[in-house]
Amino acid sequence: MHGRILIVDDTATNRIVYKVKLSDAFYEPLLAADGATGLRLAQDAAPDLVLLDLSLRDLPGPEVLRRLKANPLTRAIPVIALSASPGAADRGLALAAGADDVMSRPLNDAALLARMRNLLRLREEARFVTRAWGHEAPSILGMAEGAAPFDPAPFTPAGTVALVTSRVELALAWKHQLRRQMRDGLVVMSREQALALPPARDSTIPDVFVVEADLDAPGGGLRLMSELGSHAGTRHSATCIITPGEDDETTVMAFDMGADDVLSARLCDHELAPRLRTLIARKRQADRIRATVEDGLRLSIIDPLTGIYNRRYALPRLAGIAAQAASEGSDFAVMVVDLDRFKSVNDRFGHAAGDAVLVEVARRLSENLRLSDMLARIGGEEFLVALPQTTLPEAERVAERLRQMVCEAPVTLPSGDGLHVTVSIGVALGARRSEQTEDVSTLVDRADQALLSSKSAGRNVVTFSRNAA
Amino acid sequence: MHGRILIVDDTATNRIVYKVKLSDAFYEPLLAADGATGLRLAQDAAPDLVLLDLSLRDLPGPEVLRRLKANPLTRAIPVIALSASPGAADRGLALAAGADDVMSRPLNDAALLARMRNLLRLREEARFVTRAWGHEAPSILGMAEGAAPFDPAPFTPAGTVALVTSRVELALAWKHQLRRQMRDGLVVMSREQALALPPARDSTIPDVFVVEADLDAPGGGLRLMSELGSHAGTRHSATCIITPGEDDETTVMAFDMGADDVLSARLCDHELAPRLRTLIARKRQADRIRATVEDGLRLSIIDPLTGIYNRRYALPRLAGIAAQAASEGSDFAVMVVDLDRFKSVNDRFGHAAGDAVLVEVARRLSENLRLSDMLARIGGEEFLVALPQTTLPEAERVAERLRQMVCEAPVTLPSGDGLHVTVSIGVALGARRSEQTEDVSTLVDRADQALLSSKSAGRNVVTFSRNAA
């Protein structure tokens, strides 16, 4: 079963018909015969999507929506509202209350299923963080299961929306709909202008593109959506496709090509604004999840104490530097840097003093390396340095500079006292000959051997691995 | 500009024509007039995609491909091979050498651009890790810029491939093509069987679906692809669509709907096997990147020393527990647990001994809590415990048990000696009345105040926040 779908409808035949249709499409239907039961099941059974009839006898549809969106446990569940009366006011109310879509009965099954696939796909993406962190974890994102609290105020904070059409009268009509709700962030652009947006994510990239389905040519808007989706700058923007009439086939196609919403031009008057608000909120949520994931990734390779790379990152990264050197036919060097008599620092001055020494030594090493060099903490008091495109005399100079920068000035301890510390360094040079590339761990072993010689030579010394000479 | 495209072609008119066409489509074209220049530019200019003519005078096309795939710096760049002669042997050789696609001249521009969009989109996805880790970082994944080394041996290790068709003769023909290359992992299934695959990622989920474009009905295969893409289990599998004839319109549509490859039935004989090999390799790479991202996410909320949650996770998670309690109308409790006289442990026995104490105390706390409770290290020697659905007498019992479990047996230090340690605990009960929900940080402050009372009462004591009674 590929998704638990809660059907809230007080007409038994409707429930039965959709139970069968959803089962046939390999979904797991859950049935609620009134709004109160629907709200309870939405909280307790954690459905992936809700199909909500708007004309329930016990609770008005917008009220059910309002409660779903007010409860942190149900806020993120997508809702498709179903209405027998295609009245514009009802539809607008449901959208304003947070429905992802409103569909009128009789339903076109293909369009309903395409819309469901679209919403379920988004939900799966939002669940990425949940899976890594355990079932209730996304509250760390400041939201319940990845959802931003639904904000009923129109467009606060404002998003930016691009209206993409080549027909001036359409652009004016859309602008007119949105002007009341949005003061800023509304631009009209052509296909060419949309494609010429910068490849980096910056403030000129709209949150949402509203695109005429038949832009410049039949299906031209769908093609543009696909192009924007393959561009680095615009691939995370949402797209709302506007179809000229009610056209279920284009709707299905647009959703399956990745549209975030599809709306008939006829309905723009009442629905463009609330739909854009939902799209902007959802886009913000996706941005936040992506930022959290990138943050997590970055943190996973950083030593929390010193802020430099950790061991997990260092060794594979060194392999990359070695491969690059082999392909360029250039030299590179590896150093192992170890704090001398670090245990005694901890024993005499305490844990906090030891930490201060590690942080300061990491800072001094870092400040005396190039941006292209790599510095990592690979053990309690041990650092690894990799120097790409570096010859033996250059490595010698760098190692000597690092040794001096550590010993020449005392480290200030949390107590305010100064403490002189030193490091011992072992250096090994990567073999330039690409046909007999040395394993990276052998190279580090050689640097480690050289480090041992530095230690036995009395510490505060740089030693070169013999093979490197 | 939305992608740097390297054109390697020794016919000047071809270069000029595609330079213009790609510029018009907002790509940045780079030109190479022979294979050697192409290889150099591929390494130095880091293009996003290569269009490679197979009939270069200086180097055979498959040899250029082989060298691109052998170099870790160019291995991951997608390549579309272009051929004037549509000879099956040439095409097969190029695919076997690692081309992502082979297209015959005269080119259909729409199909070429759709294929380019598809490959560029995949490349953007693979770059996610790179962006978080800095430009050369994916070598940490054991690959150059996210690419698995191209493995010329057929299907080792074997992937699993599902052939989805309702026509027995087609299934037999496909099986026949692949039998030589694949011993295991080949299954024939219907649309219904594909949709009924389990929602979890497990070994029954094929790496690749090969789907007849007109499965059961015209366009039925494209619809199935879209359904599989919205299901949790199958959304990361690759899809190869087989069109009945050369049909550029269906090809464009299939790529824009997310197909990973599109192949005419006529070409299956020679090309299905090498194309599947490329798809499997690419799928593996995507799986590896996803695993790295999930790993990174998981690590970003874990305290590396004790393996329990870190502060970054704890406070938002506590807010989630509070929200849940408010919506259920249930009680919950928060404890702050602090190691007594921890500084003296570090001072007397050293850093390593202090770490051993932290690890062991975290273990004892963890073993005496429920799975639904949350335990985090929120400071040097300070732990936070959250107990959902817990009343005052229950919290009292748990806190007392935790206190006892820490003090009743000595912690074994790295030296082998045993050391008795104790903890002080402050407890606060979350307000049940949802209308006046207390801020989570106020709650932690109350637990902290109670902890201070425990400390001044002589340590190894549990104190309850007064408001909680």
Side-chain angles (χ1 to χ4, degrees), chain B residues 60-302:
Chain B
E63 174 60 18
V64 176
L65 275 161
R66 201 194 59 72
R67 295 201 200 166
L68 284 171
K69 296 300 166 186
N71 180 344
L73 300 177
T74 56
R75 184 177 284 161
I77 306 171
V79 181
I80 300 177
L82 307 175
S83 160
S85 71
D90 274 9
R91 294 178 57 102
L93 274 176
L95 291 166
D100 291 273
D101 206 342
V102 188
M103 298 182 119
S104 299
R105 298 184 196 274
L107 295 167
N108 174 295
D109 290 343
L112 175 66
L113 290 171
R115 184 44 144 156
M116 284 175 53
R117 283 198 293 275
N118 155 274
L119 291 170
L120 290 171
R121 203 177 293 126
L122 288 171
R123 191 160 165 79
E124 267 308 312
E125 283 162 19
R127 277 186 173 153
F128 188 81
V129 178
T130 323
R131 269 197 304 276
W133 283 354
H135 71 295
E136 271 183 284
S139 54
I140 193 172
L141 299 175
M143 44 185 137
E145 244 217 341
F150 190 78
D151 178 1
F155 296 106
T156 42
T160 55
V161 175
L163 308 173
V164 190
T165 172
S166 49
R167 291 191 288 155
V168 177
E169 74 283 9
L170 207 58
L172 288 175
W174 290 349
K175 275 190 100 155
H176 186 75
Q177 307 320 329
L178 297 172
R179 217 175 25 196
R180 273 159 298 172
Q181 279 89 359
M182 299 183 72
R183 240 165 306 161
D184 314 308
L186 203 58
V187 289
V188 177
M189 57 174 72
S190 66
R191 174 179 175 280
E192 287 68 29
Q193 288 170 313
L195 289 173
L197 286 166
R201 281 179 268 166
D202 70 14
S203 59
T204 66
I205 303 290
D207 291 307
V208 184
F209 289 96
V210 177
V211 183
E212 186 190 0
D214 295 332
L215 182 71
D216 300 335
L222 301 187
R223 181 95 5 106
L224 173 65
M225 173 173 74
S226 179
E227 293 182 274
L228 294 174
S230 73
H231 291 180
T234 48
R235 59 194 289 263
H236 298 303
S237 298
T239 307
C240 176
I241 294 287
I242 309 291
T243 58
E246 311 288 319
D247 175 353
D248 291 322
E249 214 168 301
T250 304
T251 301
V252 170
M253 184 56 66
F255 277 129
D256 283 346
M257 287 177 66
D260 297 278
D261 204 354
V262 181
L263 179 64
S264 157
R266 188 177 67 74
L267 297 171
C268 280
D269 274 20
H270 294 88
E271 303 192 4
L272 189 54
R275 283 175 187 266
L276 289 183
R277 195 173 68 207
T278 300
L279 289 183
I280 290 171
R282 214 199 273 149
K283 158 79 162 40
R284 289 271 152 74
Q285 165 194 336
D287 288 346
R288 205 152 39 209
I289 290 175
R290 231 176 1 261
T292 304
V293 170
E294 286 187 19
D295 220 32
L297 265 178
R298 205 177 36 72
L299 288 174
S300 71
I301 57 167
I302 298 293

Side-chain angles (χ1 to χ4, degrees), chain A residues 203-357:
Chain A
S203 58
T204 66
I205 303 289
D207 291 307
V208 184
F209 289 95
V210 177
V211 183
E212 185 191 359
D214 295 333
L215 182 71
D216 302 335
L222 301 187
R223 182 97 4 107
L224 173 64
M225 172 173 75
S226 179
E227 292 182 278
L228 294 174
S230 73
H231 290 180
T234 48
R235 59 194 290 263
H236 297 304
S237 297
T239 306
C240 176
I241 294 287
I242 309 292
T243 59
E246 312 285 319
D247 175 352
D248 291 323
E249 213 167 302
T250 303
T251 302
V252 170
M253 182 58 65
F255 278 129
D256 283 345
M257 287 177 68
D260 297 279
D261 203 353
V262 182
L263 179 63
S264 157
R266 191 178 67 73
L267 297 171
C268 279
D269 274 21
H270 294 88
E271 302 192 6
L272 189 54
R275 284 176 186 264
L276 289 183
R277 197 174 64 207
T278 301
L279 290 183
I280 290 170
R282 214 200 271 150
K283 157 78 163 39
R284 288 270 152 72
Q285 164 194 338
D287 288 345
R288 207 152 38 210
I289 290 175
R290 228 176 4 259
T292 304
V293 170
E294 287 188 17
D295 220 31
L297 264 178
R298 206 177 35 73
L299 288 174
S300 72
I301 57 166
I302 298 292
D303 170 49
L305 177 65
T306 59
I308 63 178
Y309 288 122
N310 61 18
R311 185 182 183 89
R312 180 172 191 260
Y313 177 86
L315 297 183
R317 177 77 173 80
L318 183 57
I321 290 172
Q324 169 105 33
S327 90
E328 295 170 349
S330 65
D331 289 327
F332 71 105
V334 173
M335 295 180 197
V336 180
V337 179
D338 197 273
L339 265 161
D340 294 325
R341 306 190 191 281
F342 183 67
K343 194 181 167 308
S344 82
V345 175
N346 271 317
D347 290 350
R348 286 162 56 207
F349 305 98
H351 191 161
D355 284 355
V357 169

Side-chain angles (χ1 to χ4, degrees), chain B residues 184-462:
Chain B
D184 314 308
L186 203 58
V187 289
V188 177
M189 57 174 72
S190 66
R191 174 179 175 280
E192 287 68 29
Q193 288 170 313
L195 289 173
L197 286 166
R201 281 179 268 166
D202 70 14
S203 59
T204 66
I205 303 290
D207 291 307
V208 184
F209 289 96
V210 177
V211 183
E212 186 190 0
D214 295 332
L215 182 71
D216 300 335
L222 301 187
R223 181 95 5 106
L224 173 65
M225 173 173 74
S226 179
E227 293 182 274
L228 294 174
S230 73
H231 291 180
T234 48
R235 59 194 289 263
H236 298 303
S237 298
T239 307
C240 176
I241 294 287
I242 309 291
T243 58
E246 311 288 319
D247 175 353
D248 291 322
E249 214 168 301
T250 304
T251 301
V252 170
M253 184 56 66
F255 277 129
D256 283 346
M257 287 177 66
D260 297 278
D261 204 354
V262 181
L263 179 64
S264 157
R266 188 177 67 74
L267 297 171
C268 280
D269 274 20
H270 294 88
E271 303 192 4
L272 189 54
R275 283 175 187 266
L276 289 183
R277 195 173 68 207
T278 300
L279 289 183
I280 290 171
R282 214 199 273 149
K283 158 79 162 40
R284 289 271 152 74
Q285 165 194 336
D287 288 346
R288 205 152 39 209
I289 290 175
R290 231 176 1 261
T292 304
V293 170
E294 286 187 19
D295 220 32
L297 265 178
R298 205 177 36 72
L299 288 174
S300 71
I301 57 167
I302 298 293
D303 170 47
L305 177 65
T306 58
I308 64 177
Y309 289 121
N310 61 19
R311 187 182 181 87
R312 178 171 193 261
Y313 178 86
L315 298 182
R317 178 78 173 78
L318 182 57
I321 290 172
Q324 169 105 33
S327 89
E328 294 170 352
S330 66
D331 289 327
F332 71 104
V334 173
M335 295 180 197
V336 180
V337 180
D338 197 274
L339 265 161
D340 295 325
R341 306 190 194 282
F342 182 67
K343 194 181 167 310
S344 81
V345 175
N346 272 317
D347 291 349
R348 284 162 57 210
F349 305 99
H351 189 164
D355 284 355
V357 169
L358 288 167
V359 169
E360 175 60 14
V361 168
R363 194 188 64 77
R364 291 189 195 176
L365 296 177
S366 170
E367 284 186 356
N368 287 283
L369 291 167
R370 298 167 300 182
L371 267 180
S372 57
D373 299 333
M374 182 205 42
L375 171 64
R377 183 177 172 210
I378 57 167
E381 63 254 38
E382 194 171 50
F383 301 88
L384 184 79
V385 179
L387 307 165
Q389 296 183 309
T390 298
T391 60
L392 188 61
E394 286 165 348
E396 216 161 327
R397 222 167 24 243
V398 173
E400 190 48 40
R401 184 174 67 225
L402 295 180
R403 188 194 62 73
Q404 277 175 17
M405 295 311 292
V406 172
C407 73
E408 80 176 11
V411 173
T412 307
L413 300 184
S415 61
D417 296 337
L419 178 69
H420 277 277
V421 297
T422 61
V423 290
S424 296
I425 302 183
V427 188
L429 205 71
R432 174 209 301 253
R433 301 162 302 281
S434 64
E435 65 279 16
Q436 50 173 121
T437 39
E438 188 178 25
D439 193 74
V440 162
S441 61
T442 317
L443 189 64
V444 176
D445 284 346
R446 285 208 283 118
D448 261 332
Q449 288 301 320
L451 170 67
L452 284 182
S453 307
S454 292
K455 292 281 186 185
S456 41
R459 300 184 174 81
N460 194 18
V461 167
V462 175

